[in-house]
Amino acid sequence: SADAALTALRRSFPEVYATDDKLDLDVTDVEVSESDFFAALKKLTPAAHRAASVHSRALPSAFQTAFAPQLLQIARRLASVFPVPSLLRHLRLLQGDESHRSTDASPFENRLDLFVRPAFVIAGERGSGETSLIAPAVLHILEEVPVFSVDVQSMLMNPISKSMEESMAQMFQEARAHAPSIVYLPHLDRIWK
Protein backbone atom coordinates (compact mmCIF):
# COMPACT_ATOMS: atom_id res chain seq x y z
CA SER A 1 0.00 0.00 0.00
CA ALA A 2 1.02 3.60 -0.49
CA ASP A 3 0.80 4.23 3.27
CA ALA A 4 3.25 1.40 3.97
CA ALA A 5 5.63 2.78 1.33
CA LEU A 6 5.47 6.24 2.94
CA THR A 7 6.13 4.68 6.35
CA ALA A 8 9.17 2.88 4.90
CA LEU A 9 10.36 6.15 3.32
CA ARG A 10 10.05 7.97 6.68
CA ARG A 11 11.96 5.14 8.37
CA SER A 12 14.71 5.03 5.71
CA PHE A 13 15.09 8.77 5.19
CA PRO A 14 13.88 10.68 8.28
CA GLU A 15 15.75 13.78 7.07
CA VAL A 16 13.14 14.25 4.32
CA TYR A 17 10.71 15.65 6.87
CA ALA A 18 13.31 17.76 8.68
CA THR A 19 14.31 20.02 5.79
CA ASP A 20 12.80 22.12 3.03
CA ASP A 21 15.82 21.47 0.80
CA LYS A 22 15.57 19.22 -2.22
CA LEU A 23 17.38 15.96 -1.47
CA ASP A 24 18.88 13.44 -3.86
CA LEU A 25 17.57 10.10 -2.60
CA ASP A 26 18.07 6.63 -3.99
CA VAL A 27 14.60 5.10 -3.60
CA THR A 28 15.98 1.64 -4.27
CA ASP A 29 17.28 1.81 -0.68
CA VAL A 30 13.68 1.93 0.58
CA GLU A 31 12.54 -1.54 1.48
CA VAL A 32 8.94 -1.97 2.64
CA SER A 33 8.77 -4.46 5.49
CA GLU A 34 5.95 -6.14 7.35
CA SER A 35 6.39 -3.70 10.23
CA ASP A 36 5.79 -0.82 7.79
CA PHE A 37 2.44 -2.35 6.84
CA PHE A 38 1.47 -2.73 10.51
CA ALA A 39 2.58 0.83 11.31
CA ALA A 40 0.57 2.16 8.34
CA LEU A 41 -2.43 0.10 9.38
CA LYS A 42 -2.39 1.66 12.85
CA LYS A 43 -2.53 5.13 11.31
CA LEU A 44 -5.50 4.37 9.05
CA THR A 45 -8.86 5.79 9.99
CA PRO A 46 -11.86 3.57 9.14
CA ALA A 47 -14.19 5.11 6.57
CA ALA A 48 -17.03 5.13 9.09
CA HIS A 49 -14.93 7.43 11.29
CA ARG A 50 -14.01 9.85 8.51
CA ALA A 51 -17.44 10.79 7.23
CA ALA A 52 -19.20 12.52 10.08
CA SER A 53 -19.11 12.79 13.82
CA VAL A 54 -16.98 10.18 15.50
CA HIS A 55 -18.85 8.80 18.46
CA SER A 56 -16.35 6.17 19.54
CA ARG A 57 -13.32 6.78 21.71
CA ALA A 58 -11.40 4.87 24.30
CA LEU A 59 -12.22 5.42 27.95
CA PRO A 60 -9.90 8.26 29.05
CA SER A 61 -7.24 7.16 31.54
CA ALA A 62 -8.48 9.74 34.07
CA PHE A 63 -11.79 7.83 34.27
CA GLN A 64 -10.42 4.27 34.21
CA THR A 65 -10.77 3.69 37.95
CA ALA A 66 -14.33 4.95 38.12
CA PHE A 67 -15.75 3.48 34.89
CA ALA A 68 -13.64 0.42 33.94
CA PRO A 69 -15.72 -2.00 36.10
CA GLN A 70 -18.92 -0.70 34.49
CA LEU A 71 -17.39 -1.02 31.00
CA LEU A 72 -16.27 -4.58 31.78
CA GLN A 73 -19.78 -5.53 32.93
CA ILE A 74 -21.31 -4.05 29.76
CA ALA A 75 -18.73 -5.78 27.54
CA ARG A 76 -19.49 -9.17 29.15
CA ARG A 77 -23.22 -8.78 28.60
CA LEU A 78 -22.77 -7.47 25.09
CA ALA A 79 -20.39 -10.32 24.11
CA SER A 80 -23.11 -12.85 24.90
CA VAL A 81 -25.46 -11.35 22.27
CA PHE A 82 -23.08 -9.63 19.84
CA PRO A 83 -19.81 -11.64 19.77
CA VAL A 84 -17.74 -9.71 17.22
CA PRO A 85 -13.95 -10.31 17.25
CA SER A 86 -12.98 -6.79 18.39
CA LEU A 87 -15.33 -7.04 21.38
CA LEU A 88 -14.01 -10.46 22.37
CA ARG A 89 -10.42 -9.19 22.05
CA HIS A 90 -11.11 -6.09 24.20
CA LEU A 91 -13.05 -8.17 26.72
CA ARG A 92 -10.01 -10.38 27.28
CA LEU A 93 -7.87 -7.26 27.78
CA LEU A 94 -10.40 -5.73 30.20
CA GLN A 95 -10.39 -8.98 32.18
CA GLY A 96 -6.59 -8.87 32.35
CA ASP A 97 -5.96 -11.71 29.87
CA GLU A 98 -2.98 -10.42 27.87
CA SER A 99 -2.69 -13.50 25.65
CA HIS A 100 -3.11 -12.93 21.95
CA ARG A 101 -5.20 -15.89 20.94
CA SER A 102 -6.68 -15.59 17.50
CA THR A 103 -10.20 -14.21 17.27
CA ASP A 104 -10.52 -14.99 13.59
CA ALA A 105 -12.67 -18.02 14.33
CA SER A 106 -15.33 -15.88 15.91
CA PRO A 107 -18.68 -17.43 16.82
CA PHE A 108 -20.22 -14.26 15.32
CA GLU A 109 -21.21 -15.83 12.00
CA ASN A 110 -22.53 -18.97 13.67
CA ARG A 111 -24.57 -17.41 16.48
CA LEU A 112 -26.17 -14.48 14.70
CA ASP A 113 -28.73 -15.34 12.06
CA LEU A 114 -31.32 -13.27 10.23
CA PHE A 115 -33.92 -13.72 12.94
CA VAL A 116 -31.77 -12.68 15.90
CA ARG A 117 -31.41 -8.94 16.21
CA PRO A 118 -29.58 -8.15 19.42
CA ALA A 119 -30.62 -4.99 21.19
CA PHE A 120 -28.60 -3.39 23.94
CA VAL A 121 -29.48 -0.24 25.87
CA ILE A 122 -27.14 1.75 28.08
CA ALA A 123 -29.15 4.16 30.18
CA GLY A 124 -28.57 6.28 33.23
CA GLU A 125 -29.26 9.51 34.97
CA ARG A 126 -28.38 12.69 33.14
CA GLY A 127 -24.74 13.62 33.80
CA SER A 128 -23.67 10.16 34.93
CA GLY A 129 -21.37 9.55 31.95
CA GLU A 130 -23.31 7.03 29.87
CA THR A 131 -23.41 9.18 26.72
CA SER A 132 -20.12 11.00 27.20
CA LEU A 133 -17.89 8.15 28.49
CA ILE A 134 -19.42 4.67 28.58
CA ALA A 135 -21.24 4.53 25.22
CA PRO A 136 -18.26 5.97 23.27
CA ALA A 137 -15.96 3.43 24.98
CA VAL A 138 -18.34 0.59 24.03
CA LEU A 139 -18.40 1.83 20.42
CA HIS A 140 -14.60 1.98 20.54
CA ILE A 141 -14.33 -1.70 21.44
CA LEU A 142 -16.80 -2.52 18.64
CA GLU A 143 -14.52 -0.75 16.15
CA GLU A 144 -15.09 -3.11 13.21
CA VAL A 145 -18.88 -2.78 13.20
CA PRO A 146 -20.46 0.09 11.20
CA VAL A 147 -22.14 2.70 13.42
CA PHE A 148 -25.20 4.67 12.34
CA SER A 149 -25.96 7.54 14.67
CA VAL A 150 -29.39 8.95 15.25
CA ASP A 151 -28.90 12.41 16.67
CA VAL A 152 -30.56 15.71 15.87
CA GLN A 153 -27.54 17.07 13.99
CA SER A 154 -27.22 14.08 11.64
CA MET A 155 -30.97 14.00 10.97
CA LEU A 156 -31.20 17.71 10.22
CA MET A 157 -28.06 17.70 8.05
CA ASN A 158 -29.36 14.94 5.77
CA PRO A 159 -29.91 16.73 2.41
CA ILE A 160 -32.13 13.97 1.00
CA SER A 161 -34.72 13.88 3.80
CA LYS A 162 -37.63 16.22 4.19
CA SER A 163 -38.20 15.48 7.87
CA MET A 164 -36.46 14.01 10.89
CA GLU A 165 -38.70 10.94 10.65
CA GLU A 166 -37.73 10.34 7.01
CA SER A 167 -34.07 10.80 7.88
CA MET A 168 -34.37 8.25 10.68
CA ALA A 169 -36.12 5.75 8.37
CA GLN A 170 -33.32 6.12 5.79
CA MET A 171 -30.69 5.59 8.47
CA PHE A 172 -32.37 2.35 9.61
CA GLN A 173 -32.53 1.15 5.98
CA GLU A 174 -28.82 1.80 5.58
CA ALA A 175 -28.06 0.06 8.88
CA ARG A 176 -30.01 -3.00 7.71
CA ALA A 177 -28.10 -2.99 4.42
CA HIS A 178 -24.78 -3.05 6.34
CA ALA A 179 -25.85 -5.60 8.95
CA PRO A 180 -24.49 -6.45 11.38
CA SER A 181 -24.32 -2.83 12.42
CA ILE A 182 -24.94 -0.56 15.37
CA VAL A 183 -27.67 2.05 15.59
CA TYR A 184 -26.45 4.57 18.15
CA LEU A 185 -29.12 6.76 19.74
CA PRO A 186 -27.38 9.27 22.02
CA HIS A 187 -29.72 11.46 24.04
CA LEU A 188 -32.77 9.65 22.69
CA ASP A 189 -34.98 11.43 25.19
CA ARG A 190 -34.11 14.80 23.60
CA ILE A 191 -34.74 14.03 19.93
CA TRP A 192 -38.41 15.00 19.74
CA LYS A 193 -38.52 17.53 22.56
Side-chain angles (χ1 to χ4, degrees):
S1 89
D3 292 315
L6 285 173
T7 302
L9 179 70
R10 284 186 196 105
R11 180 179 44 77
S12 301
F13 299 106
E15 63 272 14
V16 169
Y17 297 95
T19 182
D20 291 330
D21 298 334
K22 188 173 184 177
L23 302 173
D24 185 23
L25 304 175
D26 184 7
V27 292
T28 58
D29 292 341
V30 178
E31 204 170 298
V32 181
S33 67
E34 186 178 355
S35 63
D36 295 320
F37 279 99
F38 286 118
L41 188 60
K42 285 183 180 179
K43 294 177 186 176
L44 287 179
T45 303
H49 293 190
R50 289 181 287 211
S53 301
V54 177
H55 297 285
S56 67
R57 66 180 168 278
L59 188 62
S61 57
F63 296 99
Q64 287 287 333
T65 305
F67 290 99
Q70 191 177 359
L71 183 59
L72 176 60
Q73 180 183 18
I74 290 169
R76 282 183 181 144
R77 288 183 182 173
L78 192 54
S80 69
V81 294
F82 203 62
V84 295
S86 63
L87 174 61
L88 300 175
R89 192 171 43 252
H90 277 84
L91 183 57
R92 280 199 312 271
L93 291 173
L94 287 169
Q95 292 172 331
D97 181 359
E98 297 290 334
S99 67
H100 295 289
R101 290 179 300 229
S102 174
T103 55
D104 295 329
S106 166
F108 184 59
E109 292 85 8
N110 302 332
R111 290 187 52 196
L112 222 53
D113 60 33
L114 296 174
F115 302 105
V116 176
R117 293 186 177 98
F120 200 84
V121 175
I122 300 171
E125 296 295 320
R126 188 177 298 243
S128 60
E130 276 75 11
T131 303
S132 60
L133 295 169
I134 296 296
V138 170
L139 292 176
H140 176 74
I141 62 177
L142 291 167
E143 61 198 23
E144 64 200 37
V145 182
V147 176
F148 297 90
S149 178
V150 178
D151 57 359
V152 176
Q153 179 183 359
S154 64
M155 289 190 295
L156 291 176
M157 299 301 284
N158 186 342
I160 301 169
S161 302
K162 296 179 180 138
S163 68
M164 286 179 48
E165 290 82 2
E166 185 179 341
S167 180
M168 184 177 275
Q170 287 175 348
M171 188 271 317
F172 274 100
Q173 278 181 321
E174 192 160 335
R176 265 191 217 104
H178 291 89
S181 59
I182 296 169
V183 176
Y184 179 51
L185 305 156
H187 308 293
L188 180 63
D189 60 323
R190 297 186 214 168
I191 289 180
W192 276 278
K193 279 190 178 180

